[in-house]
Amino acid sequence: DANPDVAPGRPEVCGNGLDDDCNPGTSDTCTMGMLPDRCETAQVVDLSSGSAVVRGDFGMLAADYDSFCIEGGGRGPDAVYRLELGTRVTDLRIETVGDVDTVLSVSGECGSFGLPACNDDQRPGADTNARVWLHPAAGTIYVLVSSFDRMGGPYEVHFTTSPLAANECGDGSLDVTEGGTVV
């Protein structure tokens, strides 16, 4: 009763150690039935500590949604994550890490992952990581992580919040030298 995030009907957050939906029969770990493969099974990312890391494998996921950052609006195996920032306004950095070439797409509604809120860094000599900064971020945010090359493999996504940066060029609060998309 002391935690408003734990209640019947709430989504189960994988791996947070809580029985979010008040159903002891629901697993706290992501299993095959709880893969973040579609909007309906989007994994909730807990950002209460300011950052979070999620890991998965594209080999277990289907190609469900178009990402306009994939040439021609194509599809690759993808995962959907949901962030609940509520009324808290913050800056948010989302970055993929690993050897698999990934594409990030971000939207306020699930299933509609279009421009300009996506990134696939394809600069010569660049890494295969994708980065999106949301300035400012609030409310519910859906993140689509896609494999660019339509192949399986492990991926990792880092989510980091930071205090809202000033709206001034050159103030040093947002370093985009590694590449990415600022929205």
Side-chain angles (χ1 to χ4, degrees):
D1 289 336
N3 187 344
D5 294 326
V6 175
R10 296 285 301 190
E12 186 63 40
V13 180
C14 301
N16 70 351
L18 298 174
D19 182 11
D20 303 286
D21 62 0
C22 296
N23 180 352
T26 305
S27 173
D28 186 48
T29 58
C30 285
T31 61
M32 284 301 288
M34 292 183 64
L35 288 174
D37 197 37
R38 305 220 8 103
C39 290
E40 299 80 22
T41 58
Q43 180 178 334
V44 177
V45 177
D46 181 6
L47 287 174
S48 60
S49 69
S51 65
V53 176
V54 297
R55 293 173 183 85
D57 192 314
F58 288 118
M60 300 172 66
L61 302 170
D64 298 303
Y65 301 101
D66 288 333
S67 174
F68 292 98
C69 275
I70 294 178
E71 187 175 322
R75 292 181 179 191
D78 50 42
V80 182
Y81 296 93
R82 187 176 81 226
L83 293 80
E84 299 285 349
L85 296 174
T87 58
R88 183 177 86 165
V89 179
T90 183
D91 280 346
L92 176 64
R93 176 181 167 143
I94 307 166
E95 177 178 26
T96 60
V97 176
D99 295 329
V100 175
D101 190 2
T102 53
V103 177
L104 278 174
S105 302
V106 181
S107 179
E109 66 179 78
C110 200
S112 175
F113 299 102
L115 294 170
C118 61
N119 180 254
D120 176 29
D121 272 345
Q122 287 296 305
R123 297 174 292 134
D127 59 36
T128 57
N129 300 337
R131 294 170 196 87
V132 173
W133 289 268
L134 298 179
H135 169 79
T140 300
I141 298 166
Y142 292 92
V143 178
L144 180 72
V145 183
S146 304
S147 174
F148 180 79
D149 56 14
R150 295 169 177 79
M151 299 298 291
Y155 66 90
E156 193 171 289
V157 186
H158 295 226
F159 299 88
T160 308
T161 63
S162 60
L164 200 56
N167 287 325
E168 298 177 19
C169 291
D171 70 354
S173 59
L174 184 62
D175 179 5
V176 294
T177 56
E178 295 174 323
T181 300
V182 178
V183 180

